[in-house]
Amino acid sequence: MKTNSRYLTDVLMTALAPAIWGSTYIVTTSFLPAGYPLTVAMLRALPAGLLLLLLVRKLPFGTWWGRAFILGALNFSFFWAMLFVSAYRLPGGVAATVGAVQPLIVIALSRLFLGKPVRSLAVLAGLAGMAGVGLLVLTPKAALDPVGIAAGLAGAVSMAFGTVLTRRWAPPVSNLTFTAWQLTAGGILLVPTALFLEPALPALSAVNIAGIAYLGLIGAAFTYLLWFRGLSRIEPSAVASLGFLSPVVATLLGWLTLGQSLAPAQIAGFAMVLAGVWLSQRATMPVRPIRPAASPQRANRPA
């Protein structure tokens, strides 16, 4: 029982990360100036990473310098850049559905890099979750753009590689330190991109600063600490499936705060997403060892 309860605790703590990420859209559109996605991404990652570095006071060493920048690029800078390209060139529903292929990519990469078996139940969970996201966010008028589709797939592959390599390169430091390294490295890599590809930010209001602070401290530092903690304890395919919760929370927030309606197809999408998450956890949940039955001699021994 202890094994399963500990596993459930790890899953619930990890699930907080994508649930909080679901608030990113409404915070970005309501609190931040429009048209500066890469600059906002840089401000989301770099200050949070530097703050965590001040707390842990430990820099990468040896091969971890290179690994920190590789993971920072995969999990943050390249992933976020592709995510924004996809979001700008595709309707939100199409972009979210393309990104939902990530758990299936993680299953394949886990087999390649970690030697994990490909479980049919995990594949079924990935397909169910992807179909659920499609029902949740796609509209009949959704248009397809080849560049946007390619960017969405590239972002999904980037995050999938980051997820698997984060598990493979288990560092000899705490999750807090590991999160600080990756956030800082990802933020540094975004600096030249933001400077050269976007105009300078206008003067920020108190509301803008509050939005950036939320995305950095809560939406990046806190959530990725939980995410990387989960990756150190749960199989990558199970962690990746929790990402389906992000569009669920985003849709619920739109319904609660923006007065958006929920169609029957979206309700069915909710059910399919939750079923996909449950199936994925079921496929990777550790099995409790069965205690051997007491021998007749021990059972008949007098007390």
Side-chain angles (χ1 to χ4, degrees), residues 8 15 35 46 59 65 75 95 99 113 125 142 152 167 171 182 194 246 269 280 287:
L8 179 60
L46 187 55
L59 293 174
W65 279 104
N75 286 321
F113 290 100
R167 178 61 178 264
Q182 293 196 50
S246 186
S280 181
V287 180

Side-chain angles (χ1 to χ4, degrees), residues 1-299:
M1 181 65 69
K2 288 184 179 179
T3 299
N4 285 344
S5 63
R6 187 181 300 116
Y7 180 84
L8 179 60
T9 300
D10 291 335
V11 169
L12 291 176
M13 289 184 66
T14 309
L16 272 177
I20 293 173
W21 293 338
S23 66
T24 300
Y25 175 79
I26 195 167
V27 170
T28 300
T29 55
S30 302
F31 292 87
L32 301 183
Y36 303 89
L38 297 176
T39 303
V40 169
M42 182 268 292
L43 292 175
R44 182 182 180 186
L46 187 55
L50 292 175
L51 178 61
L52 293 183
L53 275 182
L54 285 176
L55 292 176
V56 301
R57 296 182 180 275
K58 189 176 184 64
L59 293 174
F61 50 89
T63 58
W64 287 103
W65 279 104
R67 290 179 177 182
F69 275 91
I70 291 172
L71 292 174
L74 292 172
N75 286 321
F76 299 107
S77 50
F78 183 77
F79 168 63
W80 281 347
M82 292 297 99
L83 190 66
F84 284 125
V85 171
S86 175
Y88 272 115
R89 299 189 66 105
L90 294 173
V94 177
T97 306
V98 172
V101 75
Q102 180 199 329
L104 296 175
I105 301 173
V106 168
I107 292 173
L109 294 179
S110 294
R111 174 61 180 170
L112 183 62
F113 290 100
L114 304 176
K116 300 290 184 181
V118 177
R119 297 181 176 89
S120 56
L121 190 59
V123 175
L124 178 62
L127 293 172
M130 188 175 179
V133 171
L135 286 173
L136 192 63
V137 297
L138 280 179
T139 63
K141 297 180 180 180
L144 300 181
D145 175 80
V147 175
I149 294 289
L153 289 175
V157 171
S158 177
M159 187 64 173
F161 266 103
T163 297
V164 173
L165 290 179
T166 296
R167 178 61 178 264
R168 180 179 174 88
W169 291 340
V173 293
S174 67
N175 282 316
L176 184 62
T177 302
F178 198 30
T179 304
W181 291 353
Q182 293 196 50
L183 274 172
T184 304
I188 289 172
L189 291 173
L190 280 166
V191 169
T193 308
L195 287 177
F196 288 110
L197 296 182
E198 290 183 353
L201 273 176
L204 297 178
S205 66
V207 171
N208 298 151
I209 294 172
I212 293 173
Y214 172 82
L215 290 178
L217 297 177
I218 305 299
F222 176 66
T223 54
Y224 277 96
L225 178 61
L226 294 177
W227 189 252
F228 295 144
R229 177 189 180 275
L231 279 172
S232 69
R233 298 167 182 243
I234 308 170
E235 286 199 20
S237 61
V239 174
S241 73
L242 296 174
F244 291 138
L245 298 176
S246 186
V248 168
V249 172
T251 303
L252 285 175
L253 286 176
W255 173 58
L256 291 171
T257 64
L258 302 179
Q260 297 173 353
S261 60
L262 289 178
Q266 289 178 299
I267 296 174
F270 276 120
M272 291 188 70
V273 167
L274 295 178
V277 171
W278 182 82
L279 284 174
S280 181
Q281 307 311 312
R282 184 76 177 173
T284 57
M285 183 179 294
V287 180
R288 280 189 301 161
I290 301 175
R291 294 181 179 179
S295 64
Q297 290 182 347
R298 180 173 295 182

